[in-house]
Amino acid sequence: MNIFNKIWGKTLYGIASVTSVIFDVFIGIVEFIVGLVINIGRGFLALISMGGCLLIMVLGPALLFNPITFFTILFLVIFPILGTKFVSYLKYIRYMITEFLFDHADNLINGRKAEFGSFNEYGNKYKRMEEEKRRKEQQRRQAEEQRQWEERFRQWSEYQNSQRGNNYGGYGSYGGNYQNMGYGNTYVNPNIEFKNKYEKSCDLLGVGYESDKYQIKLAYRKKAKEYHPDLNKSPDATTMFQQINNAYEFLNDDNIERYKSIR
């Protein structure tokens, strides 16, 4: 019985390996085609921005009423969206099937218990992994954005200090240092942009500009539940859900205090 299990396990392992290679090749082909179409679409947009608008204005009606042109434009717009979703679905299917087969092959060969007993459970694990990956990427982006804001405020503070030094000390040594730091006259007060972004984030969550972190958290939970893609099937649910998360991340404790100080 043990020998039979090992033989069957190695067979499953071989099937899993071949299946993984087939999926990888097919996914690679689809990704290449999607990338090619996206680049063609970008080239078309670049052509328009470089003067093709005039040609389209002159020949627009004739071009649009041409079935070939119409369907070509439609293809360039829709295919990248559907193709990207199809690639994601293929990766989900590949993980679900191959992990199931590899785990059960390992169970038969080495006696190690398989993690799950069905394809769907492996599929759910993949979804959790992807969600965690997106969450970490979002946190990384938010941290980078916060770092950039901090740097902009720091540079603005130094710029103002330099200007005060110039006003009090003329064009002496401090003013020279100011020029050497490369400030020139290019810095713009970040307070206005920060204030606008803060207030737009509050508007998105439906809270007042004076709200504290607890009110913001309650509003976020309500909005996130309303637009969660698993619960809301409208076409813009995913985009709105992402925007809501971004707004909530921006309305952190540090930014709440900063907004109060610059009002």
Side-chain angles (χ1 to χ4, degrees):
M1 189 68 177
N2 188 44
I3 295 177
F4 177 78
N5 285 345
K6 287 185 179 294
I7 293 174
W8 177 231
K10 290 181 179 180
T11 302
L12 280 181
Y13 189 89
I15 293 172
S17 299
V18 172
T19 303
S20 180
V21 171
I22 292 173
F23 267 105
D24 286 341
V25 171
F26 187 55
I27 290 171
I29 293 172
V30 176
E31 285 184 322
F32 174 78
I33 295 173
V34 172
L36 182 63
V37 173
I38 290 174
N39 288 332
I40 292 173
R42 287 174 179 170
F44 181 71
L45 289 176
L47 178 64
I48 293 176
S49 65
M50 289 166 51
C53 288
L54 180 62
L55 180 63
I56 290 178
M57 289 175 62
V58 175
L59 302 178
L63 289 173
L64 290 177
F65 284 109
N66 186 317
I68 296 177
T69 304
F70 176 78
F71 284 109
T72 299
I73 295 174
L74 196 65
F75 175 78
L76 291 175
V77 172
I78 294 178
F79 182 80
I81 299 173
L82 297 180
T84 301
K85 290 183 177 295
F86 184 54
V87 168
S88 297
Y89 181 71
L90 286 175
K91 290 180 178 179
Y92 162 74
I93 295 296
R94 176 190 61 184
Y95 181 90
M96 182 170 58
I97 293 176
T98 56
E99 285 300 305
F100 175 88
L101 294 175
F102 278 129
D103 259 11
H104 283 74
D106 195 27
N107 169 248
L108 293 169
I109 296 171
N110 301 314
R112 187 186 64 80
K113 184 179 179 181
E115 187 174 4
F116 301 114
S118 68
F119 287 112
N120 287 337
E121 289 175 303
Y122 286 96
N124 291 334
K125 178 184 176 182
Y126 178 81
K127 291 178 181 178
R128 291 193 298 270
M129 289 168 53
E130 289 297 298
E131 184 63 32
E132 179 66 14
K133 188 187 299 182
R134 284 191 292 269
R135 186 184 66 80
K136 288 183 177 180
E137 176 60 22
Q138 182 181 1
Q139 288 178 339
R140 186 197 65 78
R141 289 197 304 268
Q142 292 294 340
E144 176 60 22
E145 182 183 22
Q146 192 69 18
R147 187 196 66 78
Q148 290 176 0
W149 278 112
E150 295 291 344
E151 180 64 14
R152 289 180 63 185
F153 279 108
R154 184 191 66 78
Q155 291 176 344
W156 177 249
S157 177
E158 290 184 1
Y159 171 78
Q160 289 181 308
N161 291 336
S162 298
Q163 289 292 84
R164 284 193 289 269
N166 287 336
N167 291 335
Y168 287 113
Y171 292 92
S173 60
Y174 196 93
N177 290 335
Y178 157 66
Q179 292 295 337
N180 289 337
M181 285 190 290
Y183 288 135
N185 296 313
T186 60
Y187 280 122
V188 178
N189 187 347
N191 289 332
I192 298 174
E193 185 181 347
F194 176 85
K195 186 172 181 289
N196 289 336
K197 184 175 178 64
Y198 188 96
E199 292 178 354
K200 285 180 180 179
S201 298
C202 288
D203 292 340
L204 186 62
L205 294 185
V207 296
Y209 305 150
E210 306 297 327
S211 299
D212 59 31
K213 62 180 181 180
Y214 301 106
Q215 294 170 311
I216 290 171
K217 181 179 289 187
L218 287 174
Y220 163 72
R221 288 177 176 174
K222 182 179 178 181
K223 283 284 187 179
K225 183 177 180 181
E226 179 183 353
Y227 286 99
H228 196 287
D230 291 341
L231 302 174
N232 190 323
K233 300 304 179 183
S234 61
D236 63 339
T238 301
T239 301
M240 278 296 297
F241 184 72
Q242 184 64 47
Q243 291 176 355
I244 289 166
N245 278 306
N246 290 341
Y248 177 65
E249 292 291 338
F250 183 74
L251 299 175
N252 55 51
D253 292 348
D254 290 340
N255 286 347
I256 291 174
E257 292 303 315
R258 175 173 286 119
Y259 178 78
K260 290 179 181 178
S261 69
I262 65 175
R263 281 186 297 112

